[in-house]
Amino acid sequence: MSRAWIASPGAPLRGELAVPGDKSISHRAIMLGAIAEGTTRIEGFLEGEDTRATAAIFRRLGVRIEAPSDGVRIVHGVGLHGLQPADGPLDCGNAGTAMRLLAGLLAGQRFDSVLVGDASLSARPMRRVIEPLAAMGAVIEADDGRAPLRIRGGQPLRGIDYTLPVASAQVKSALLLAGLYADGETHVREPHPTRDYSERMLAAFGASCAFVPGEAAILGGFPLQARDVQVPADFSSAAFFIVAASVVPGSELLLRRVGMNPRRTGLLHVLRAMGADIVALRPGEQGGEPVADLRVRHAPLRGIEVPEQHVPDMIDEFPALFVAAACAEGETVVRGAGELRVKESDRIATMAAGLRVLGIRVDEAPDVATIAGGPLQGGEVDAHGDHRIAMSLCVAAQVAAGAVRITDVDNVATSFPGFDDLARGAGFGLRAA
Ligand code: S3P
């Protein structure tokens, strides 16, 4: 039986809090540390199920990874060609990032591998990585373009020049990782720039990787050199508190040292355009990434047309934005967001269903959602095993007139272990059902 929450209005959100480390950076730090020469110390590592799945996979591929304390990993790199075949399928759990990036990395090994995932991940589209990797010479079998992915090793890879049909940092990263093992240059072009953590980290580890927003190129054959990685707090996890403090009257919350990479912070532009009171304080740098403290105060919000250019920069924040929209005056229109339908759940459908139960009108088209702000009521809603849906509905419950029972919330631990304690500490009304 999966767990459920009962969420209801608590106190105004007050105080200071730090959310856990960035999921995208934590995955990549394990991967690059594993195939680098030397020892990589990771601080601020996200202790989530997704990132632990990645670490467990590399242990099975023969990499020694120590966990001396919470949030710290020491990865003893084996070099580009030092991974060993695992003794069975490699389980990515719920993590799309693990599966797609590993498809690229494992395509370049001399041994075969099989990648599997949970029910949600096994339903997500993998052709987007299989096809360009095949064009590089990789051999990957999958039924109907879905996991399990059976990756044949020992294939010579060659660099390609590839334009992504959809903006996807995961696909870009898979090709760059395969590009490490390819003959010549692998050049990836994007329809809209996406998060550039792979490029930044590859360059920092000494790969021959050049990049500008929307384009990245890597030359195969260069060894990676280990280096320490400091992981900033995950903006996507901060997003739930940013929206909660914006919509719960009387709130004033300070979120400490949040990752502010511009490819992640589209939600800030949109919330500010809706009237939110969010101030970035003490801007600085952590592990080569921009960070800041975010002070968020309650403010009345109004609905807007979300500018389409922000969509890729807030792709994981739409469930939270839907809640802000539900609390705003007037309509919020989201266009060009069809990618939301192939995330851990169909996030347009699952958020629309949840908000409708709470009394909010949401109209859907394949890549459009229109949310009409209004008063929220209590009820029973289903998170569909999607971590971000569970946390977003919990935020919605903080302004609902009655208690909200949220089912299927176990997967919150994939990206945000300890969310419930942190949320209660800030003032949320939230308990296990
Ligand atoms: C991620 C990229 C995004 C995002 C995911 C993490 C990454 O996916 O939704 O949570 O770490 O590269 P897409 O690149 O498929 O949009």
Side-chain angles (χ1 to χ4, degrees):
M1 251 290 278
S2 60
R3 286 187 315 130
W5 284 335
I6 309 271
S8 53
L13 307 181
R14 294 260 164 190
E16 293 189 19
L17 58 91
V19 300
D22 189 276
K23 179 155 73 75
S24 294
I25 297 178
S26 296
H27 279 299
R28 287 159 170 84
I30 295 281
M31 292 182 190
L32 295 197
I35 57 168
E37 287 168 9
T39 303
T40 292
R41 182 185 171 89
I42 308 170
E43 282 179 15
F45 177 75
L46 170 65
E47 297 287 357
E49 287 170 3
D50 279 12
T51 43
R52 285 179 170 180
T54 289
I57 284 173
F58 279 94
R59 286 197 180 103
R60 293 194 51 217
L61 293 167
V63 181
R64 192 155 70 86
I65 302 176
E66 295 171 76
S69 58
D70 220 40
V72 178
R73 290 294 182 281
I74 297 171
V75 185
H76 298 271
V78 296
L80 274 188
H81 301 287
L83 296 176
Q84 301 298 321
D87 54 3
L90 300 166
D91 190 357
C92 300
N94 193 243
T97 306
M99 184 169 281
R100 296 205 176 102
L101 271 60
L102 280 166
L105 197 158
L106 293 173
Q109 307 303 318
R110 62 197 151 67
F111 52 84
D112 296 351
S113 310
V114 179
L115 293 172
V116 298
D118 69 4
S120 151
L121 185 52
S122 304
R124 294 180 65 186
M126 293 297 150
R127 266 196 197 108
R128 53 182 61 195
V129 283
I130 295 172
E131 283 173 358
L133 287 172
M136 295 177 75
V139 177
I140 303 178
E141 289 164 28
D143 295 333
D144 197 25
R146 322 243 172 233
L149 303 185
R150 289 173 293 277
I151 303 167
R152 186 110 39 90
Q155 310 297 318
L157 302 184
R158 53 192 173 272
I160 51 168
D161 189 324
Y162 186 72
T163 301
L164 300 182
V166 281
S168 167
Q170 293 180 350
V171 179
K172 171 179 63 177
S173 302
L175 301 186
L176 294 176
L177 290 171
L180 275 174
Y181 294 91
D183 196 22
E185 189 186 72
T186 301
H187 202 124
V188 189
R189 301 166 203 272
E190 312 180 90
H192 183 285
T194 63
R195 65 191 74 187
D196 56 2
Y197 301 130
S198 298
E199 299 90 300
R200 285 171 178 244
M201 211 183 280
L202 281 162
F205 274 70
S208 173
C209 182
F211 56 100
V212 291
E215 233 176 290
I218 191 162
L219 261 181
F222 285 82
L224 303 184
Q225 297 305 327
R227 55 164 292 163
D228 294 348
V229 179
Q230 256 205 315
V231 183
D234 197 316
F235 181 87
S236 298
S237 296
F240 305 107
F241 289 98
I242 295 171
V243 170
S246 297
V247 301
V248 174
S251 296
E252 176 168 343
L253 211 51
L254 190 83
L255 299 161
R256 285 199 302 266
R257 310 326 282 152
V258 180
M260 294 286 283
N261 184 305
R263 298 278 75 86
R264 296 291 299 284
T265 45
L267 179 74
L268 291 184
H269 299 285
V270 171
L271 285 178
R272 285 184 178 132
M274 294 172 77
D277 179 354
I278 307 166
V279 182
L281 304 166
R282 296 203 306 129
E285 212 192 83
Q286 195 177 310
E289 285 290 323
V291 294
D293 293 344
L294 293 178
R295 194 205 63 208
V296 189
R297 291 185 175 136
H298 168 259
L301 303 182
R302 55 189 174 273
I304 61 164
E305 290 242 0
V306 175
E308 239 178 282
Q309 89 255 20
H310 291 318
V311 169
D313 296 341
M314 56 182 292
I315 195 66
D316 290 338
E317 282 60 75
F318 279 97
L321 173 78
F322 275 38
V323 175
C327 300
E329 195 185 317
E331 279 188 356
T332 296
V333 185
V334 174
R335 287 181 215 284
E339 273 298 291
L340 295 178
R341 296 206 180 268
V342 291
K343 293 293 178 187
E344 286 83 328
S345 68
D346 174 342
R347 286 184 172 159
I348 296 182
T350 49
M351 278 310 293
L355 289 176
R356 282 181 197 129
V357 169
L358 303 184
I360 299 296
R361 208 190 78 223
V362 183
D363 296 324
E364 289 181 56
D367 68 345
V368 183
T370 305
I371 304 114
L376 284 93
Q377 66 197 29
E380 176 160 333
V381 294
D382 188 349
H384 291 274
D386 184 330
H387 53 136
R388 301 201 197 281
I389 302 298
M391 292 183 273
S392 298
L393 292 171
C394 180
V395 173
Q398 302 312 306
V399 289
V404 179
R405 183 185 164 90
I406 309 167
T407 57
D408 205 357
V409 302
D410 287 329
N411 275 342
V412 166
T414 60
S415 70
F416 202 154
F419 167 80
D420 36 2
D421 283 341
L422 212 56
R424 269 190 295 272
F428 275 57
L430 172 61
R431 62 183 170 86

